[in-house]
Amino acid sequence: MQDKVVVIHQPDFMPYLGFFDRLLKADIYVVLDTVQFVKRWTGRDKIKTENGEQWITVETKKAPVETKINQIYLVEDTKWKKKHLNIICYNYKKAPFYSEIIPYVEKIYQDSSEKLSDFNLRSIRTLMELFDIHIECIMASDINPVGKNNTLNIDIMKKLDCRRYLSGVGAKDYYVAELYEEAGIEVIWQDFEHPIYRQQYGEFIPYLSSIDLLFNCGIEESRKILRRIQ
């Protein structure tokens, strides 16, 4: 097996900084588009407003509960995209690096994808570009993984012939060490401490979409902050 580090995660919408912290430490990102769609995780994220944090949610067509992420379709009416942009523009127009970042955000919303997974991946790739992260991205749907939770992760790792899996700490809720040991896979747990940076609107709020850092600190400084470079 190869020693490449693999991250396996759903294609969330404009993810928070912890997601990109993992990508910085990995060689391969497996876009987990074959699991059940859960809107509160995959279809939305938070920004900061003058009234505190606010969710912005991607509008999708109704689908059965068990529908996989790669089978979720966006609402065809693009009014929700205009609404998102208006909310973002209104709340970040006075941010120090608004003019530098807003063209990238606008390009995300100009994406003509029909599926949520493609639209979200566009947001991820845009943020990867801004953070200067360059790793291989593989769609789970292209390798047809089987199993659930631990067994799903292990099957993906075997199909990639990789032995080092970098996991977020949330997976500890269902982690079974013996399964990975038997498969010869090393599990590396993410150790992420959210950075504090200058922000608009009073007291600092963590775990927002990564665009908050970019609007407030700009591309160059954001790259340093994410990498803990002083």
Side-chain angles (χ1 to χ4, degrees):
M1 282 188 171
Q2 304 175 75
D3 278 339
K4 290 183 177 180
V5 177
V6 178
V7 166
I8 304 170
H9 198 88
Q10 297 94 326
D12 293 341
F13 174 61
M14 295 201 300
Y16 90 114
L17 293 175
F19 171 83
F20 294 101
D21 173 75
R22 265 198 286 167
L23 296 193
L24 272 177
K25 300 168 182 173
D27 301 294
I28 299 172
Y29 166 40
V30 176
V31 184
L32 192 59
D33 62 338
T34 56
V35 296
Q36 179 182 333
F37 170 59
V38 180
K39 193 163 192 171
R40 69 178 181 274
W41 300 120
T42 308
R44 62 178 188 167
D45 218 311
K46 293 184 290 187
I47 64 168
K48 190 177 182 185
T49 77
E50 56 190 355
N51 297 312
E53 57 190 52
Q54 177 179 336
W55 289 103
I56 49 176
T57 304
V58 178
E59 293 194 17
T60 56
K61 294 182 179 180
K62 291 184 178 180
V65 174
E66 298 296 326
T67 304
K68 295 179 180 179
I69 292 171
N70 63 2
Q71 292 302 314
I72 295 293
Y73 286 82
L74 300 175
V75 169
E76 292 171 0
D77 188 337
T78 58
K79 288 181 181 178
W80 65 269
K81 290 184 177 180
K82 294 177 182 177
K83 180 181 178 182
H84 277 206
L85 276 173
N86 286 339
I87 292 171
I88 291 169
C89 291
Y90 178 79
N91 287 287
Y92 288 102
K93 63 186 176 183
K94 295 183 179 179
F97 293 90
Y98 175 81
S99 60
E100 179 182 58
I101 303 303
I102 195 60
Y104 293 95
V105 176
E106 289 174 339
K107 284 182 181 179
I108 292 173
Y109 286 100
Q110 289 165 1
D111 184 90
S112 58
S113 299
E114 297 179 349
K115 290 185 176 182
L116 173 71
S117 54
D118 296 329
F119 178 73
N120 283 4
L121 188 56
R122 172 65 179 268
S123 77
I124 290 171
R125 289 187 182 279
T126 299
L127 290 167
M128 286 174 65
E129 175 189 350
L130 291 170
F131 288 132
D132 194 28
I133 298 173
H134 305 279
I135 64 173
E136 184 179 5
C137 294
I138 297 174
M139 304 302 293
S141 51
D142 288 340
I143 58 176
N144 299 313
V146 295
K148 186 177 181 180
N149 296 335
N150 297 291
T151 56
L152 176 66
N153 292 335
I154 291 168
D155 187 62
I156 290 172
M157 296 297 291
K158 286 182 175 179
K159 285 176 174 171
L160 296 179
D161 193 33
C162 294
R163 56 172 294 274
R164 304 182 72 201
Y165 167 50
L166 174 57
S167 177
V169 295
K172 288 186 177 181
D173 292 340
Y174 60 83
Y175 173 65
V176 181
E178 294 79 6
L179 294 175
Y180 292 90
E181 291 169 4
E182 290 170 4
I185 295 169
E186 175 190 0
V187 178
I188 307 164
W189 294 103
Q190 180 184 25
D191 181 17
F192 176 68
E193 182 179 346
H194 200 293
I196 297 175
Y197 53 87
R198 63 179 178 274
Q199 233 180 29
Q200 299 184 103
Y201 311 125
E203 187 175 347
F204 182 79
I205 298 177
Y207 306 109
L208 303 172
S209 168
S210 295
I211 63 171
D212 185 79
L213 170 65
L214 289 159
F215 275 123
N216 284 296
C217 298
I219 296 172
E220 184 176 352
E221 187 178 352
S222 293
R223 291 176 177 180
K224 293 178 180 179
I225 290 171
L226 187 62
R227 290 166 172 81
R228 304 294 196 279
I229 298 173
Q230 300 299 320

